[in-house]
Amino acid sequence: MEVYGELNRELRLERVDCEVCEGVPRRCRLESCPFYAHLIDLSKRLASKESYVSGFTPPNVLVGKAGYPRVQVGPAVSPNDDLRSALTSQPSVWLDRSIDELLTARLSLLLTRRQMRVTEVRDWNRIFEAIALSSMSLKPVDLEVKVIGSPALRPHFFARSHPYGPSARLSEVKVVSNVRVPRAVDDLAHERGLRVADAVKELCERGYDEYYITRLLSIGVLGTLRDRRLVPTEWSITATDDIVSRIYLKGMRDYNAIHDFQLYSSSVLHNKAFVILLPTPWMYELLEGWVRFFSIYSDYEILRPRRDYADNTGGAFYAVRLGLVKSLSRLRKRAGALVIFEIGEGWVPLGVWRFRELVKRALASKPEVHETLDEALKSVRARLELPLDLYLSKSRLYKLLRTQRRLDEYLDQ
Amino acid sequence: MTVQYAGFFTDLIKAVSAVVDEGDFKATATGLRLISMDPAHISLVDFELPKDSVEEYELSGDVEITINMLELLKFLRRAKKNESLTLNYDSEKRKLTIILTNQAAARERTFQLSTLEPVEGGRTTAPRLTFDATARISTEALWEAIEDSSLVADSMKVTIARDTVVFTARGELGTVENKLTVDGAMVHEVNAQKEASATFALTYLEKIVKAGKDLSEETLLMLSMNKPIKIGFPLPNARLEYLIAPRLE
């Protein structure tokens, strides 16, 4: 599982371009942080409210990766009932919110944490039962948590998890509403003979989305007894993207090949996605451009899913791939894809979900159909902030496609 | 149509599926034939199983059979070593029946597969191309060259000269060269009026040669300067040839 670990690159990239601290942690002060300042009140209120907090979890259970295999785990709870719809655990609707709305909602979550050995999930104690049940629920779950000490509030933005509000040590947790766990999931949690990959496959076939599967994988309720362990949230997101997209890729063989270059695009929240479907066997490349840093990162794969970790684009590579193959399966199309994803200056790191969701949204729109790749790229050129040539200079697939001739040029038809 | 060794036929179908996912077979008085390009029109497969090379071949008229190769392979992979294979096609119902028979054990297994709507157009004759240089080399040596090259690059240059066959790959991190000389055991024959070379995507070479090496120890390469390459796997009772379009820098 180490392959899904965080990379330095992401720390460098997905940081907040804050006007106050300019991204230098030393200068960062909570009181002056424009993103966190308004939370100080909330944090104080929480601290004075004795140590019991009642609220709901969207559901959202976070497993940290620091100190692995002794990690921090706990549900994120919002005491503010008005935020129930804003905090939905369905990222597909987040694309239509403003960055401010998203941030406010995320930062209002109280993050509880309790240290656990990752293998402790096999013992299924009382506290873990409440944590696991809330993670397995499809709907928000009402919880009563007892925290020790006053909540700590530290600004932090990470590549693959959403930012969170105050955090506090968890000593007790009680589920106070009815939890609805789908029958099939309950069965899988009790089935100790099925491997994780097979369990994930079954969940996919039953139509559960990647966000739900990620939660189940992270909390360690799937797989054989030996497989069961807590998986840090960041790793489980990429692991789920990878496992699920491989399942869809296998199914893609049955669909119809395309015969032209189809350009799909969508842009929202300072992120722009351009997906060019190629009339080729499976080949996929992500060109990720950061306007703020004037730099492009790329990773690709040809014919089959790559075996080594996509070092340059990290979790984004797998998130985009999942968005792609799910959409292709819906469209019943078989194609390769060149994806240009541009992240504008106004973006604040809120997680990799937007890669997945924006690509899905792009592929739900009507495509522009082009005869050649160059024509399709010409249409993209005007809509990018960074120069197209900069993207193409980093692209392996472009080089491959540009130099590859077709047999028709040589044959007597 | 009956084939004595089901495994041989399975290998042939696997080799065809290196290029096409949907096989458009034509059964005529002379035998079973398929000439088809991949969707990207970069590679082509020319397959023929003449009627004389199978045990039994009966036909009431020319038919076109379009099959999902992966579905067909699923069934064919069930074949055991000592089984023979019989294919019956009902053109009205568009059903292909696959019968695997083990004579010794008197066991017969029958599978039925729905076929697809025939594709309009498609080639019926092999493309005519002329080549400046040909070489007959060991398939294993070619496969090794492909595997070596894939360590550094995604394409490989093939050069056939008067007495050598050279495979080179150049990547950002390094280069790989495989040189086979005519007097060695790896090269059976070279016929080059002039030196010819061209570069090809490893993805296509890999898929094709991987399938071919299960069938033939020998590979025939035919090449002209920066033009498509023809890769043939000489088989005693079937034709299996491919074309791949080059990459030009």
Side-chain angles (χ1 to χ4, degrees):
Chain A
M1 210 53 98
E2 277 73 19
V3 291
Y4 298 117
E6 181 154 11
L7 294 149
N8 291 336
R9 180 205 142 253
E10 284 165 4
L11 293 174
R12 194 173 72 236
L13 272 185
E14 291 249 12
R15 63 172 191 220
V16 170
D17 195 21
C18 174
E19 288 167 12
V20 181
C21 67
E22 292 173 330
V24 181
R26 198 160 33 83
R27 287 192 219 144
C28 177
R29 296 283 178 277
L30 208 53
E31 293 74 19
S32 57
C33 176
F35 299 107
Y36 277 84
H38 66 279
L39 287 172
I40 297 172
D41 277 354
L42 173 80
S43 174
K44 279 182 188 151
R45 262 206 330 272
L46 280 174
S48 58
K49 247 191 190 177
E50 299 186 38
S51 44
Y52 285 95
V53 180
S54 353
F56 71 95
T57 179
N60 190 334
V61 171
L62 204 79
V63 181
K65 68 178 194 307
Y68 191 89
R70 290 187 85 86
V71 296
Q72 304 286 345
V73 56
V77 183
S78 174
N80 187 347
D81 221 36
D82 301 340
L83 288 172
R84 261 183 203 264
S85 69
L87 278 168
T88 164
S89 56
Q90 288 304 317
S92 46
V93 303
W94 294 350
L95 287 181
D96 297 315
R97 307 253 162 87
S98 72
I99 286 189
D100 266 357
E101 279 176 290
L102 287 171
L103 253 181
T104 312
R106 303 305 316 180
L107 294 184
S108 75
L109 284 171
L110 167 71
L111 184 60
T112 65
R113 54 192 160 79
R114 179 185 178 81
Q115 198 180 58
M116 269 179 78
R117 271 182 296 110
V118 291
T119 50
E120 231 172 290
V121 301
R122 297 169 195 172
D123 309 337
W124 200 263
N125 62 33
R126 192 166 43 83
I127 289 186
F128 178 67
E129 186 176 9
I131 297 175
L133 271 181
S134 40
S135 196
M136 287 158 76
S137 166
L138 286 170
K139 296 245 167 69
V141 177
D142 292 331
L143 296 175
E144 240 175 54
V145 296
K146 186 181 173 193
V147 293
I148 310 169
S150 56
L153 187 59
R154 266 181 237 107
H156 68 295
F157 290 94
F158 294 113
R160 300 201 207 133
S161 55
H162 325 278
Y164 286 89
S167 73
R169 278 176 58 203
L170 176 70
S171 85
E172 283 292 338
V173 53
K174 211 160 84 187
V175 176
V176 291
S177 61
N178 282 327
V179 176
R180 208 181 67 95
V181 176
R183 179 75 169 269
V185 174
D186 197 48
D187 288 349
L188 282 173
H190 285 97
E191 162 74 60
R192 303 285 172 92
L194 199 65
R195 289 173 43 230
V196 171
D198 297 327
V200 169
K201 192 169 173 214
E202 193 176 325
L203 289 167
C204 272
E205 281 163 1
R206 287 178 179 272
Y208 293 108
D209 68 13
E210 54 274 18
Y211 301 99
Y212 187 52
I213 296 173
T214 300
R215 289 212 303 272
L216 298 178
L217 191 72
S218 181
I219 206 70
V221 293
L222 299 177
T224 58
L225 196 60
R226 275 188 57 179
D227 285 343
R228 296 200 179 202
R229 64 192 61 207
L230 291 171
V231 180
T233 308
E234 287 185 22
W235 304 353
S236 69
I237 292 172
T238 296
T240 304
D241 280 343
D242 194 27
I243 299 171
V244 175
S245 58
R246 279 165 192 264
I247 294 170
Y248 277 93
L249 264 177
K250 272 198 188 138
M252 208 159 95
R253 295 182 195 147
D254 298 336
Y255 304 140
N256 296 324
I258 63 166
H259 294 91
D260 35 30
F261 295 84
Q262 306 182 353
L263 168 64
Y264 293 83
S265 59
S266 186
S267 88
V268 71
L269 294 173
H270 307 279
N271 283 266
K272 291 180 193 164
F274 300 94
V275 180
I276 303 175
L277 295 186
L278 314 163
T280 61
W282 175 250
M283 48 175 80
Y284 151 55
E285 180 168 53
L286 171 64
L287 299 169
E288 181 190 2
W290 288 77
V291 176
R292 188 185 295 160
F293 308 107
F294 206 79
S295 47
I296 314 288
Y297 297 86
S298 73
D299 279 302
Y300 73 105
E301 64 190 18
I302 293 179
L303 290 183
R304 56 184 80 91
R306 53 184 301 147
R307 287 193 201 113
D308 51 341
Y309 185 72
D311 274 335
N312 302 313
T313 54
F317 182 82
Y318 300 93
V320 168
R321 191 219 265 155
L322 183 65
L324 267 176
V325 294
K326 270 195 132 176
S327 303
L328 284 171
S329 141
R330 188 176 48 77
L331 298 166
R332 303 190 73 74
K333 281 183 181 174
R334 181 157 48 87
L338 179 67
V339 180
I340 296 181
F341 205 104
E342 187 168 77
I343 298 125
E345 289 202 71
W347 175 250
V348 170
L350 289 168
V352 291
W353 54 269
R354 96 278 191 183
F355 283 102
R356 214 176 286 120
E357 294 306 324
L358 195 54
V359 165
K360 282 187 205 163
R361 179 170 290 192
L363 281 158
S365 65
K366 208 168 169 283
E368 280 176 28
V369 175
H370 296 279
E371 286 274 306
T372 65
L373 177 61
D374 282 322
E375 262 179 45
L377 285 169
K378 202 173 145 195
S379 168
V380 174
R381 183 188 294 271
R383 293 185 262 167
L384 288 170
E385 281 182 65
L386 294 176
L388 178 67
D389 296 337
L390 189 65
Y391 282 96
L392 297 182
S393 70
K394 293 278 182 171
S395 170
R396 290 291 292 273
L397 281 200
Y398 178 67
K399 193 170 150 247
L400 190 149
L401 293 163
R402 191 177 45 88
T403 55
Q404 178 66 59
R405 314 314 300 172
R406 285 160 74 103
L407 279 173
D408 314 63
E409 298 172 39
Y410 305 94
L411 303 183
D412 46 320
Q413 281 297 321
Chain B
M1 185 184 90
T2 303
V3 189
Q4 197 182 352
Y5 301 106
F8 171 65
F9 189 75
T10 308
D11 284 344
L12 283 175
I13 294 299
K14 263 191 218 163
V16 172
S17 72
V19 170
V20 287
D21 297 345
E22 269 175 32
D24 197 16
F25 291 90
K26 291 183 176 67
T28 62
T30 52
L32 192 63
R33 185 87 191 256
L34 174 145
I35 303 166
S36 191
M37 281 199 247
D38 68 74
H41 288 213
I42 292 165
S43 58
L44 175 143
V45 56
D46 181 357
F47 160 79
E48 186 176 16
L49 192 63
K51 107 181 203 222
D52 299 338
S53 63
V54 297
E55 296 272 286
E56 202 189 320
Y57 189 85
E58 269 174 50
L59 193 74
S60 54
D62 291 3
V63 281
E64 209 168 298
I65 313 170
T66 308
I67 311 176
N68 182 325
M69 302 295 275
L70 290 161
E71 293 301 320
L72 176 62
L73 274 173
K74 265 188 209 165
F75 291 143
L76 292 178
R77 285 211 177 91
R78 299 293 304 154
K80 305 279 186 308
K81 258 193 187 141
N82 46 13
E83 280 178 323
S84 70
L85 168 81
T86 305
L87 294 175
N88 289 324
Y89 183 62
D90 183 335
S91 54
E92 267 176 31
K93 288 184 190 151
R94 284 227 200 93
K95 298 269 188 217
L96 182 72
T97 312
I98 300 148
I99 306 164
L100 297 171
T101 318
N102 183 337
Q103 286 286 356
R107 181 166 78 155
E108 191 177 277
R109 296 187 285 161
T110 308
F111 304 89
Q112 201 175 56
L113 179 67
S114 300
T115 60
L116 308 166
E117 193 83 21
V119 193
E120 289 297 311
R123 301 187 70 96
T124 45
T125 53
R128 277 191 302 274
L129 286 170
T130 51
F131 298 95
D132 296 338
T134 59
R136 234 165 17 94
I137 64 165
S138 140
T139 309
E140 193 54 39
L142 175 59
W143 177 246
E144 293 274 325
I146 290 169
E147 287 205 304
D148 290 347
S149 300
S150 64
L151 297 177
V152 296
D154 51 23
S155 65
M156 181 173 91
K157 185 176 176 185
V158 182
T159 309
I160 303 177
R162 196 172 292 276
D163 48 10
T164 54
V165 181
V166 187
F167 303 102
T168 41
R170 189 158 286 134
E172 281 163 22
L173 296 171
T175 58
V176 170
E177 185 182 273
N178 267 262
K179 188 172 175 181
L180 311 176
T181 314
V182 77
D183 18 292
M186 298 296 181
V187 181
H188 307 303
E189 190 187 340
V190 172
N191 191 344
Q193 287 160 351
K194 53 182 177 186
E195 185 179 302
S197 71
T199 305
F200 304 95
L202 276 169
T203 47
Y204 293 92
L205 283 171
E206 198 183 306
K207 278 212 282 190
I208 288 166
V209 178
K210 191 175 185 182
K213 78 181 168 57
D214 292 338
L215 285 156
S216 166
E217 290 176 5
E218 211 176 284
T219 305
L220 185 67
L221 300 178
M222 303 173 85
L223 193 63
S224 294
M225 202 64 170
N226 290 331
K227 295 247 176 83
I229 189 172
K230 186 176 195 169
I231 301 176
F233 297 99
L235 302 171
N237 42 16
R239 178 212 301 265
L240 186 60
E241 289 172 353
Y242 298 88
L243 285 176
I244 307 176
R247 288 177 63 175
L248 297 181
E249 288 302 322

